[in-house]
Amino acid sequence: MPVSIVSVTPATVLTYGGPPASIAAGAALGALAAPPLAAAPARSLPAHIHPMVAYTATMAVCTAAIVPLLGLCPGF
């Protein structure tokens, strides 16, 4: 699934700059959170709707949730 790295990591880099911590945190948290969250709605879609709809919605939700949460952590 192209969900995790595609959305969260670039958003963390754009928000917090390019230090290795922002890259690693965005990649790790995106890779852990996004695929399981995308799988459930993708399975429940009707057959005539492509699963990419669920993947795109999950990318938006994960990016909107993870990027501000990282701002609460020290060092960001």
Side-chain angles (χ1 to χ4, degrees), residues 37-57:
L37 290 175
R43 282 192 300 261
S44 65
L45 288 175
H48 67 279
I49 298 177
H50 197 278
M52 195 64 190
V53 172
Y55 303 156
T56 304

Side-chain angles (χ1 to χ4, degrees), residues 1-11 59 63:
M1 273 185 253
V3 176
S4 60
I5 304 295
V6 172
S7 62
V8 180
T9 304
M59 284 191 294
T63 301

Side-chain angles (χ1 to χ4, degrees), residues 14-72:
L14 288 173
T15 303
Y16 303 113
S22 69
I23 297 168
L29 292 174
L32 290 173
L37 290 175
R43 282 192 300 261
S44 65
L45 288 175
H48 67 279
I49 298 177
H50 197 278
M52 195 64 190
V53 172
Y55 303 156
T56 304
T58 303
M59 284 191 294
V61 169
C62 286
T63 301
I66 292 173
V67 172
L69 286 176
L70 284 177
L72 300 175

